[in-house]
Amino acid sequence: MEFIPGLARWLHIVAGITWIGLLYYFNLVQIPALKDAAADGSAGGITKHVAPRALLWFRWAAVATWLAGAAILQENFISAFTLQTGYEGIGIGSWLGTIMLFNVWVLIWPNQQKILGMVQASDDEKAKARRVAFLASRTNLMLSLPMLFFMANGLTHRALIGL
């Protein structure tokens, strides 16, 4: 059954590129562009058409990346998440990815729904939602580089070499 681990690895890479690519897009392109677009009144196209679609891909790519990563770990899942000897690197990377997944689904997405008008919210609630979503997204941006480092370099245990 070599097909399933290979498929999981391929999905983990493709979904991860999608997730982290959109994370960088939001933080390095869309957020600064929205400030400029708001100043000239042209932000509506971004918030109405681009942001909801990008957030759809962003949140489901996060889930697919995490699930595929768990599938790659297989019987080593518990060893990685409990940071057992030889699994520390991949475990730290896994925990960082898990924190980032939590941020996407619990902090970013519910607040973006308020910001984009998908969920009814007062102006004060939208202002708070902007701040929470911004901070969670920036946290994920900062966690992404160490997460990628630990994930790429964490496969040191003999049991993981053959994956």
Side-chain angles (χ1 to χ4, degrees):
M1 255 344 221
E2 295 295 320
F3 176 74
I4 300 300
L7 181 63
R9 179 172 292 148
W10 179 85
L11 179 61
H12 188 63
I13 291 167
V14 171
I17 289 168
T18 304
W19 179 19
I20 300 303
L22 283 165
L23 174 67
Y24 288 14
Y25 161 77
F26 286 130
N27 281 278
L28 303 176
V29 177
Q30 184 171 298
I31 290 172
L34 275 172
K35 288 181 185 177
D36 296 340
D40 70 11
S42 63
I46 296 170
T47 59
K48 183 177 180 181
H49 301 289
V50 177
R53 183 171 293 151
L55 284 163
L56 173 80
W57 279 92
F58 178 67
R59 66 184 188 274
W60 288 107
V63 169
T65 303
W66 196 94
L67 289 174
I72 292 168
L73 288 172
Q74 297 175 4
E75 67 275 355
N76 300 308
F77 183 87
I78 299 296
S79 297
F81 273 90
T82 56
L83 304 175
Q84 291 182 17
T85 302
Y87 295 90
E88 298 93 339
I90 196 68
I92 291 170
S94 299
W95 272 110
L96 291 172
T98 301
I99 292 165
M100 292 171 65
L101 177 69
F102 175 89
N103 286 345
V104 168
W105 280 93
V106 176
L107 299 174
I108 297 170
W109 175 235
N111 285 294
Q112 284 293 339
Q113 289 176 318
K114 293 176 186 174
I115 296 163
L116 297 173
M118 301 165 107
V119 171
Q120 204 165 37
S122 68
D123 289 341
D124 287 342
E125 290 171 324
K126 287 181 183 180
K128 182 181 177 192
R130 278 186 191 87
R131 186 72 180 152
V132 171
F134 173 79
L135 290 174
S137 189
R138 286 296 162 95
T139 298
N140 276 6
L141 182 70
M142 290 186 294
L143 292 177
S144 69
L145 289 177
M147 183 264 314
L148 290 169
F149 173 81
F150 282 108
M151 296 293 282
N153 292 297
L155 300 174
T156 58
H157 195 274
R158 285 182 167 211
L160 290 174
I161 298 298
L163 290 177

